[in-house]
């Protein structure tokens, strides 16, 4: 009789191996056999048994990533709103960044993944090269947390036309994703983050830069 806990462990090991390999080599650059080898799964039909197909595994990884971020953002937003303090653009930018880079206490945040939830490079790969799969997952899962962030930013900038703000937010998101993906890669390459990301002020500098991309640079 197959032990359920053993099955769950094997399934999780496959998912961890897949997201690590996809993050480094892209989707097309990773074979099913490579995933199983990385996960130390000897059964050559392991992907089929646990996920049916490689594409189904990918879809589950995207859903997992969206769910973790959504839950962590909503928890952080609830705390920020409950504080009663005024909420500025930088507060929301800091929240978005720190959810992906600082331990959140989320039970699904694992120490064997890279910094934060360990999925920024994977999400970048999906958005750049597999947008249809990613968009379908986003549509199916929804993301009220990001909409809450946008609403707070819009409330803090009432004089900025919404169309102009939306354009800024598109660039902000792309800038943030690329920066956090680079940070993740740096910590995988070097456990101290290297010269740039190992600096204790690096995240604050990133948050300042991202905030300026939305509100404009402060006058000198």
């Amino acid at each position: 009789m197959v032990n359920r806990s053993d099955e769950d462990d094997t399934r999780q090991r496959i998912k961890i191996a897949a997201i690590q390999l996809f993050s480094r080599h892209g989707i097309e650059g990773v074979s099913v056999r490579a995933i199983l080898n990385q996960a130390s799964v000897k059964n050559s039909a392991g992907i089929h048994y646990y996920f049916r197909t490689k594409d189904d595994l990918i879809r589950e990884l995207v859903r997992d990533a969206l769910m973790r971020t959504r839950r962590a953002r909503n928890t952080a937003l609830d705390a920020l709103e409950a504080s009663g303090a005024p909420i500025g653009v930088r507060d929301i930018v800091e929240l978005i960044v720190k959810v992906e880079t600082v331990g959140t206490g989320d039970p699904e945040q694992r120490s064997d993944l890279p910094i934060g939830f360990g999925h920024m490079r994977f999400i970048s790969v999906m958005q750049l090269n597999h947008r249809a799969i990613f968009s379908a997952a986003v549509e199916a899962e929804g993301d009220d947390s990001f909409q809450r962030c946008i609403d707070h930013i819009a409330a803090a900038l009432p004089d900025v036309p919404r169309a102009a703000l939306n354009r800024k937010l598109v660039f902000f998101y792309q800038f943030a994703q690329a920066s956090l993906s680079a940070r993740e890669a740096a910590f995988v390459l070097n456990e101290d983050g290297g010269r740039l990301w190992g600096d204790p002020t690096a995240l604050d500098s990133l948050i300042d830069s991202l905030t300026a991309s939305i509100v404009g640079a402060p006058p000198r």
Side-chain angles (χ1 to χ4, degrees), residues 9-78:
D9 177 70
T10 301
R11 198 172 195 279
Q12 188 64 30
R13 282 191 287 116
I14 291 173
K15 290 166 70 173
I16 294 293
I19 200 169
Q20 289 175 335
L21 291 171
F22 290 152
S23 295
R24 294 177 196 144
H25 308 297
I27 304 300
E28 292 84 358
V30 177
S31 67
V32 167
R33 171 49 55 194
I35 295 170
L36 295 176
N37 287 342
Q38 177 86 355
S40 299
V41 175
K42 295 179 180 178
N43 183 354
S44 61
I47 297 293
H48 177 75
Y49 180 79
Y50 292 101
F51 301 97
R52 290 204 315 156
T53 68
K54 180 181 174 182
D55 282 349
D56 288 326
L57 167 60
I58 291 166
R59 290 186 184 94
E60 183 162 333
L61 290 174
V62 173
R63 288 195 299 270
D64 287 352
L66 294 173
M67 180 178 65
R68 287 192 299 265
T69 292
R70 181 178 68 236
R71 185 168 55 229
R73 273 196 202 134
N74 277 327
T75 298
L77 283 163
D78 288 345

Side-chain angles (χ1 to χ4, degrees), residues 175-188:
F175 181 15
Q177 188 177 76
S179 298
L180 293 174
S181 295
R183 180 179 185 272
E184 201 173 88
F187 276 97
V188 171

